[in-house]
Protein backbone atom coordinates (compact mmCIF):
# COMPACT_ATOMS: atom_id res chain seq x y z
CA UNK A 1 0.00 0.00 0.00
CA UNK A 2 2.90 2.34 0.76
CA UNK A 3 4.14 1.99 -2.82
CA UNK A 4 0.70 2.88 -4.20
CA UNK A 5 0.42 5.98 -2.02
CA UNK A 6 4.00 6.95 -2.88
CA UNK A 7 3.20 6.61 -6.60
CA UNK A 8 0.18 8.91 -6.16
CA UNK A 9 2.31 11.52 -4.42
CA UNK A 10 5.00 11.37 -7.11
CA UNK A 11 2.73 11.24 -10.15
CA UNK A 12 -0.10 13.53 -9.09
CA UNK A 13 1.55 16.02 -6.73
CA UNK A 14 5.10 15.98 -8.15
CA UNK A 15 6.70 15.09 -4.82
CA UNK A 16 10.30 13.86 -4.96
CA UNK A 17 10.19 10.08 -4.43
CA UNK A 18 13.34 10.16 -2.27
CA UNK A 19 11.57 12.35 0.31
CA UNK A 20 8.61 10.00 0.77
CA UNK A 21 8.86 7.72 3.80
CA UNK A 22 6.24 6.36 6.18
CA UNK A 23 7.39 8.93 8.76
CA UNK A 24 7.41 11.92 6.38
CA UNK A 25 4.92 14.59 7.40
CA UNK A 26 2.73 15.64 4.49
CA UNK A 27 2.86 19.33 5.31
CA UNK A 28 6.20 19.87 7.06
CA UNK A 29 8.42 17.39 5.21
CA UNK A 30 6.76 17.14 1.79
CA UNK A 31 5.46 20.71 1.55
CA UNK A 32 1.87 19.73 0.79
CA UNK A 33 -0.53 22.63 1.29
CA UNK A 34 -4.21 22.36 2.22
CA UNK A 35 -5.36 22.35 -1.42
CA UNK A 36 -2.93 19.55 -2.27
CA UNK A 37 -4.03 17.61 0.81
CA UNK A 38 -7.62 17.85 -0.41
CA UNK A 39 -6.45 16.62 -3.80
CA UNK A 40 -4.59 13.71 -2.17
CA UNK A 41 -7.73 12.74 -0.23
CA UNK A 42 -9.77 12.87 -3.45
CA UNK A 43 -7.19 10.78 -5.33
CA UNK A 44 -7.11 8.17 -2.57
CA UNK A 45 -10.91 8.01 -2.52
CA UNK A 46 -10.97 7.49 -6.28
CA UNK A 47 -8.11 5.00 -6.50
CA UNK A 48 -9.10 2.84 -3.54
CA UNK A 49 -12.91 3.25 -3.71
CA UNK A 50 -13.15 4.59 -0.17
CA UNK A 51 -14.57 7.67 1.48
CA UNK A 52 -12.46 9.76 3.82
CA UNK A 53 -14.41 11.87 6.29
CA UNK A 54 -13.23 15.51 6.59
CA UNK A 55 -12.48 15.05 10.30
CA UNK A 56 -10.44 11.93 9.59
CA UNK A 57 -8.61 13.71 6.76
CA UNK A 58 -7.42 16.29 9.30
CA UNK A 59 -5.79 13.45 11.28
CA UNK A 60 -3.65 12.40 8.32
CA UNK A 61 -0.32 13.96 9.26
CA UNK A 62 2.24 11.52 7.87
CA UNK A 63 2.44 9.30 4.82
CA UNK A 64 2.13 6.38 7.25
CA UNK A 65 -1.17 7.79 8.55
CA UNK A 66 -2.52 7.78 4.99
CA UNK A 67 -1.29 4.24 4.35
CA UNK A 68 -2.72 2.87 7.61
CA UNK A 69 -6.06 4.63 7.03
CA UNK A 70 -6.40 3.13 3.57
CA UNK A 71 -5.35 -0.34 4.77
CA UNK A 72 -8.03 -0.36 7.49
CA UNK A 73 -10.70 1.08 5.19
CA UNK A 74 -10.23 -0.88 1.98
CA UNK A 75 -12.52 -3.87 1.84
Amino acid sequence: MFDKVKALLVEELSINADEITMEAELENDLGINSLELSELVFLCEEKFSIEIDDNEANDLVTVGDVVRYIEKTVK
Side-chain angles (χ1 to χ4, degrees):
M1 189 60 66
F2 170 73
D3 290 332
K4 291 179 181 180
V5 172
K6 182 176 180 176
L8 270 181
L9 290 166
V10 171
E11 294 167 16
E12 303 293 338
L13 298 178
S14 302
I15 305 292
N16 183 338
D18 295 335
E19 297 176 10
I20 302 170
T21 64
M22 286 289 282
E23 297 79 26
E25 291 187 11
L26 300 170
E27 200 173 315
N28 295 332
D29 297 330
L30 303 180
I32 292 176
N33 63 36
S34 59
L35 182 61
E36 292 167 325
L37 181 58
S38 295
E39 185 176 350
L40 176 61
V41 167
F42 174 76
L43 291 167
C44 288
E45 289 176 333
E46 290 277 301
K47 182 165 183 73
F48 303 109
S49 300
I50 61 173
E51 194 169 316
I52 302 174
D53 181 82
D54 288 342
N55 292 329
E56 292 172 316
N58 292 331
D59 294 335
L60 303 176
V61 176
T62 67
V63 174
D65 292 340
V66 175
V67 170
R68 285 185 290 276
Y69 183 86
I70 294 169
E71 287 176 340
K72 77 173 183 155
T73 308
V74 170
K75 296 171 176 81

